[in-house]
Amino acid sequence: MKFKYLSLRNYLDYFVRYSKKLENFRKQKRRVSKNYLFRNLNKINSSKELIDFHFQKLGEKNHINRDMFELLLTHFSKKNLNILETGSSGTHGSGSSILFASYVILFGGTFNTVDLNHKIKDNYKFLESKQVKFHVDDSLNFIKKMKASDIKDLDIIYLDSFDLDIKNPIPSEKHGLQEFLLLNEKISSGTIISIDDTPDTFEKFSVTEINQFNYVPGKGRLIIDYLKSNPKMYKILYHNYALVLEKL
């Protein structure tokens, strides 16, 4: 880009125009993504193929939770799954909401995801159907309003609301425990609960992030403490950056 005059005004005018072009591009990309997604879903025949496609083309290719998501979606012998997610996502990061919605569209079941950010629902309205719902609400309020029968029918619960602040992890940890306790007594044996941002070791953080703690912080830390007092309630299936539990 060449400027006639290297003045502040010219730079500002340029960036205003550039921002508008970028926003139009993003809107166009969302429309293309819709067509691209459904065109490619028609070619997928298994959970493994879906995982491969998703992390090659939509989510981050080498996302730390890829193996965890593969475990969730291949654990059950049946294909149709009822899935609840707290903390919706688009295609950034793991793109979990797109992955779960794609799974249900392909293999049956239901997917409900809830987040306070209405833009996620607005951006992915094209995915919504009787099977797939994006909700705008606080996750605790949403869970409280759920029917006990709907919670009982859940196969997979993915807790990823309330971002972990490593400088102040306690609010996220308390929120994660509250979600867990609201669901715990109503879910069925065999239900899987995955809690994101719950590292198994200090090595998942930088030294400057963790030097103030004498424990490994994470969304599921208080859940882990709870399970130590109730060891026969759950089996740990996986623990890396996320924690995966199976109700006994």
Side-chain angles (χ1 to χ4, degrees):
M1 180 68 185
K2 294 182 179 179
F3 292 104
K4 186 175 181 180
Y5 302 105
L6 295 178
S7 68
L8 178 60
R9 181 175 179 178
N10 282 336
Y11 275 112
L12 290 175
D13 288 342
Y14 168 72
F15 282 113
V16 168
R17 293 195 301 271
Y18 177 79
S19 296
K20 289 180 179 178
K21 289 181 180 179
L22 182 61
E23 179 59 26
N24 289 335
F25 173 76
R26 285 171 176 165
K27 289 180 180 178
Q28 182 181 10
K29 185 179 180 182
R30 282 199 291 270
R31 292 196 292 271
V32 170
S33 295
K34 172 185 175 180
N35 297 328
Y36 179 80
L37 177 64
F38 283 100
R39 185 170 66 247
N40 281 277
L41 289 184
N42 289 331
K43 306 173 185 176
I44 293 172
N45 298 302
S46 69
S47 302
K48 183 64 167 61
E49 288 181 10
L50 175 61
I51 292 286
D52 289 342
F53 162 72
H54 180 83
F55 284 100
Q56 285 285 337
K57 303 299 183 180
L58 300 177
E60 291 179 4
K61 186 175 182 180
N62 297 312
H63 197 278
I64 193 170
N65 281 337
R66 174 179 172 145
D67 290 344
M68 181 273 294
F69 285 112
E70 186 166 350
L71 168 63
L72 295 185
L73 297 181
T74 60
H75 176 78
F76 295 92
S77 56
K78 64 174 185 174
K79 281 199 168 183
N80 61 307
L81 299 173
N82 296 315
I83 304 170
L84 170 67
E85 174 187 59
T86 66
S88 309
S89 73
T91 53
H92 62 279
S94 68
S96 56
S97 300
I98 307 300
L99 176 61
F100 289 137
S102 298
Y103 182 93
V104 167
I105 290 168
L106 283 171
F107 304 114
T110 62
F111 172 55
N112 285 277
T113 182
V114 59
D115 197 282
L116 288 169
N117 185 357
H118 69 88
K119 291 183 179 179
I120 297 176
K121 177 179 174 65
D122 294 343
N123 290 345
Y124 296 100
K125 281 183 178 178
F126 68 86
L127 285 171
E128 291 201 279
S129 66
K130 290 183 179 179
Q131 293 175 284
V132 177
K133 299 291 183 184
F134 284 73
H135 305 271
V136 180
D137 200 351
D138 173 80
S139 62
L140 297 175
N141 290 335
F142 182 79
I143 294 170
K144 289 174 183 176
K145 291 185 291 187
M146 289 182 70
K147 295 179 181 178
S149 57
D150 289 338
I151 294 177
K152 185 179 180 180
D153 288 340
L154 290 171
D155 298 296
I156 295 171
I157 299 168
Y158 180 52
L159 303 181
D160 192 26
S161 62
F162 207 122
D163 288 341
L164 179 69
D165 180 355
I166 192 59
K167 295 180 180 178
N168 182 27
I170 293 176
S172 178
E173 293 170 351
K174 287 183 176 179
H175 184 84
L177 180 62
Q178 287 178 289
E179 288 182 327
F180 176 83
L181 293 177
L182 284 174
L183 293 161
N184 176 50
E185 294 185 359
K186 297 178 182 178
I187 62 175
S188 303
S189 175
T191 300
I192 289 181
I193 298 181
S194 176
I195 307 102
D196 197 16
D197 299 317
T198 307
D200 56 337
T201 65
F202 284 112
E203 283 70 24
K204 301 298 190 299
F205 300 107
S206 69
V207 174
T208 55
E209 286 177 329
I210 63 170
N211 59 10
Q212 61 179 308
F213 301 106
N214 57 8
Y215 64 89
V216 182
K219 286 181 186 177
R221 183 185 72 86
L222 296 180
I223 297 172
I224 293 173
D225 290 346
Y226 177 85
L227 295 180
K228 288 177 181 177
S229 301
N230 301 273
K232 296 183 180 180
M233 293 182 66
Y234 287 85
K235 176 170 66 174
I236 296 177
L237 299 181
Y238 175 95
H239 196 187
N240 186 1
Y241 189 73
L243 172 68
V244 180
L245 307 169
E246 180 181 5
K247 182 72 178 287
L248 298 177

